[in-house]
Amino acid sequence: MIAKAFGPSSIDISTEKLSWLEALERSVNLLVESGRTKPEYFEQVLASTQKLGPYFVVAPGIAIAHAAPSSAVLETGFALLKLEKPVASGSINDPVSLLFSFASVDSESHIELLGEFANMMSTPGKVNLLLNASAIGEIRDILSENLVG
Amino acid sequence: MKIYAVCGAGIGTSVLLKSNIDKVLSVLDIEAEVSAVSIATAMDAESPAQVVLITPELQDQIKGIASEVITIDNIFDLGELTQKLSASLS
C-alpha cells in the first residue's frame, strides 16, 4: 500500500542548500507533480505551519508536511524530498533530511495507510537505509520493501 | 481508559502516533481506547481523556487541559513511547 501511495515523480533528492520554506514547497510540489493535489495545497500546508510551527517534524530528521483534507486534494498520497543538505525548521528534531509530504482526500481512507507508514518508519534500520540512499530508485525500493505488517 | 493522540488537524501526525501507541499498549497489555484528534477536539471534549500525547511544538496549544500530557519527541521510537506510557499508566 505504501509503495502505491508514492506516485510517479513523487520522490526526489535535492543536493542544493534550501531554506525551510523552499524545501517545504519543493516537497509539497512533488504531490502536485504526481497528480495527488492541486497547487494550492501548498498554501494550506504553509498556513498550518505558520499557525502551529513545524510540529510535523515528528522524529529526528524526519518531517511529514500535511494539511487537513480539502478540495485541493485529488488523491490520497505521499511524496518524499530527501535533502542531502539537511535544513533547519525550528523544531527540536532539526535538521530535517527526510521531508515527506502527505495528503488525504478525507479523514478516514488514509488511516490504514498511515498505520503502515508508522510501522515502516518504526522498523529499526529503515530510517538509516533511507538516509543512506543516494538514488531515487534506491529510495523507491526501500519504501517498497515494507512487507511486514 | 481514554487516550488522545493530538495534532493540528487530527489527520496526520496524530494518526501515526495512535498507530504506535496501540502497538505499545498491546505489548504492555494495557487496554485503552486511543483516538487521533485535533487540538480543538482534545480541548472541547466533554469527558477529557486520562492521558494526552502530543509533540513538543504543540504543547502550548493545549495548556490547561484536564488530562495528563505526555510529549513525544520521536513518534517512531517505540522505546520512548513504551517508557513514557508505562511510567504514566502503571
Side-chain angles (χ1 to χ4, degrees), chain A residues 19-78:
Chain A
S19 72
W20 171 236
L21 287 185
E22 286 166 343
L24 205 53
E25 184 166 20
R26 201 73 83 82
S27 178
V28 175
N29 270 341
L30 294 172
L31 286 175
V32 180
E33 282 161 30
S34 54
R36 300 301 169 109
T37 70
K38 296 180 192 169
E40 55 261 37
Y41 190 63
F42 174 64
E43 305 303 323
Q44 296 166 10
V45 173
L46 195 60
S48 151
T49 185
Q50 279 168 346
K51 184 172 161 223
L52 297 170
Y55 76 90
F56 45 65
V57 188
V58 293
I62 305 169
I64 302 154
H66 64 277
S70 74
S71 59
V73 181
L74 302 169
E75 194 184 339
T76 297
F78 268 106

Side-chain angles (χ1 to χ4, degrees), chain A residues 52 54-55 58-60 64 66-69 91-93 110 114-115 117-119 121-122, chain B residues 7-9 11-13 15-16 19-20 23 39 55-58 61 73-76 78:
Chain A
L52 297 170
Y55 76 90
V58 293
I64 302 154
H66 64 277
S91 159
I92 56 155
N93 284 320
H110 66 296
L114 284 188
F117 183 77
N119 260 335
M121 298 301 285
S122 307
Chain B
C7 79
I11 69 124
T13 315
V15 176
L16 294 169
S19 170
N20 276 348
K23 203 181 306 171
I39 291 167
T55 54
E57 271 87 12
L58 293 181
Q61 308 278 335
D73 298 337
N74 180 350
I75 69 167
F76 298 130
L78 298 178

Side-chain angles (χ1 to χ4, degrees), chain B residues 5-76:
Chain B
V6 181
C7 79
I11 69 124
T13 315
S14 57
V15 176
L16 294 169
L17 192 51
K18 171 190 156 43
S19 170
N20 276 348
I21 293 169
D22 281 335
K23 203 181 306 171
V24 165
L25 288 180
S26 91
V27 173
L28 293 173
D29 203 20
I30 295 173
E31 227 172 275
E33 180 200 337
V34 185
S35 312
V37 302
S38 67
I39 291 167
T41 308
M43 296 302 285
D44 294 348
E46 276 183 28
S47 57
Q50 178 176 333
V51 179
V52 161
L53 287 90
I54 196 162
T55 54
E57 271 87 12
L58 293 181
Q59 61 178 318
D60 284 353
Q61 308 278 335
I62 57 161
K63 261 193 187 139
I65 196 166
S67 309
E68 182 187 348
V69 176
I70 300 178
T71 60
I72 300 296
D73 298 337
N74 180 350
I75 69 167
F76 298 130

